[in-house]
Amino acid sequence: MYSTCIHCRKPLGSNESIEALPIGRRLAFDASQGRLWVVCRACERWNLTPFEERWEAIEQGERAFRNTRVRANTDNIGLARLADGTELIRVGAPLRPEFAAWRYGDQFGRRRTKLITNTAVGVAAAGLTIAGAAWAGVSLAALLPISHVLSMYNLVNAVGRPQQALSLPDGGKFIPFGTARIIQRDSPEGWGVDIGHAGRWTADDPTRHSKTWWDLAKKQEGKNELGRLQLDGADALPLLRAQLPRVNKAGAAGRIVQDGVQLIEEAGGPERFGRWAAGKRREWAARATFGDTGDLNQIPHAARLAFEMAVHEDSEQRAMEGELAELERAWQDAEGVAHIADNLLTAPQLQQRLDALKDELR
């Protein structure tokens, strides 16, 4: 049973109320569609479950929801808190705006609050630093190197950093670099993305299983050169799932989220949003004052939010239609990264003792 968020790699917690799915403190289910999610309390994002026990867990969730009196309901969505503190979200047949308000409102709102808080803390810290320097008799010129380092850090973040290796349609690997640019493509889907890469390896290269830019750089000296490549719609989904939360890291107010939902409706649904957005580049360019309006961080704010919503819903629909193997791999990758991170903080002697205790309990 997986216990780590696919998106932020944080633990999902546990519950004692849903025996078929004891993972997660907030569960969402849609019995009519057969969907079950574990909602991460750290990043507020929804993790679609690939578990074989899904139907049993949905049935138990439905029963628990009906048996509790602590509920908040709209016509199609309900929220219940169980005795152990577990929260259940029951999805009926909501219109897209109502569902988006529940699913994405918390995510974008949390990011917005975090940005405002961090900005306030940063401004306060800068003010205290300057005041402290003045009190100590240090000139402002002495603080310029620190300012330069921070500026370079922000520039690197804006341009983009090498990320986790992703798969290519031909079985190879590449390391994305920079921000993806949406483009029109002469393909059945009609759209795709153009993205820089800090390395690209073929399917028969033995180092293609490395997951990070640093690993590949160590094994492939001279081959991790910058370049660009293009991916068609479905092949671009893993990249977009990783990049769009970074592009939308500032979050948004509720009204802008609803504007994004309306754009998805205008496009004809999540599965058609990519083609629609690629066709809007010229219109967006006419209204822009600078930048490449195909870059994800340059398209209108509501459109960026809509793209993130559409990508996740489209990905889940593909998984429900039989592509659960990819979803399974995503969970396994998240568990693997979390396991490595945990082990970095655990001394070998302590880990050996923990393993021994586990063996004694079996």
Side-chain angles (χ1 to χ4, degrees), residues 197-218:
H197 66 76
R200 182 176 181 178
W201 291 265
T202 60
D204 58 357
D205 193 312
T207 63
R208 72 185 186 280
H209 297 297
S210 299
K211 292 182 178 179
T212 65
W213 170 78
W214 180 248
D215 289 339
L216 287 167
K218 290 190 294 184

Side-chain angles (χ1 to χ4, degrees), residues 108 248 251-253 256-257 260 264 300-310:
F108 296 133
N248 290 323
I256 301 179
V257 175
I264 295 177
H301 193 181
R304 297 200 303 268
L305 300 176
F307 217 154
E308 183 174 345
M309 291 185 274

Side-chain angles (χ1 to χ4, degrees), residues 31-167:
S32 63
Q33 297 292 326
R35 295 191 184 187
L36 176 65
W37 299 269
V38 181
V39 183
C40 177
R41 303 314 304 267
C43 67
E44 301 290 348
R45 298 169 75 181
W46 292 31
N47 296 264
L48 182 66
T49 65
F51 308 130
E52 295 179 359
E53 297 87 353
R54 174 183 293 164
W55 286 107
E56 184 179 354
I58 291 175
E59 182 180 345
Q60 292 177 6
E62 181 74 45
R63 189 160 54 244
F65 185 88
R66 292 180 183 276
N67 290 338
T68 182
R69 294 183 178 179
V70 186
R71 287 183 286 183
N73 285 286
T74 66
D75 290 341
N76 297 294
I77 297 181
L79 175 66
R81 187 184 298 273
L82 306 183
D84 69 342
T86 302
E87 292 182 341
L88 295 178
I89 299 173
R90 182 182 182 275
V91 180
L95 298 174
R96 194 179 306 278
E98 184 184 1
F99 182 64
W102 276 84
R103 177 165 184 177
Y104 301 104
D106 284 350
Q107 296 177 30
F108 296 133
R110 187 185 184 93
R111 293 180 202 172
R112 183 168 181 259
T113 301
K114 183 178 179 180
L115 178 68
I116 292 172
T117 301
N118 289 345
T119 300
V121 171
V123 170
L128 289 173
T129 300
I130 294 174
W135 179 80
V138 178
S139 67
L140 292 180
L143 299 177
L144 288 179
I146 299 176
S147 174
H148 180 67
V149 170
L150 293 176
S151 297
M152 290 300 296
Y153 174 79
N154 290 330
L155 179 61
V156 170
N157 272 339
V159 172
R161 297 173 293 178
Q163 300 153 51
Q164 187 175 20
L166 295 175
S167 297

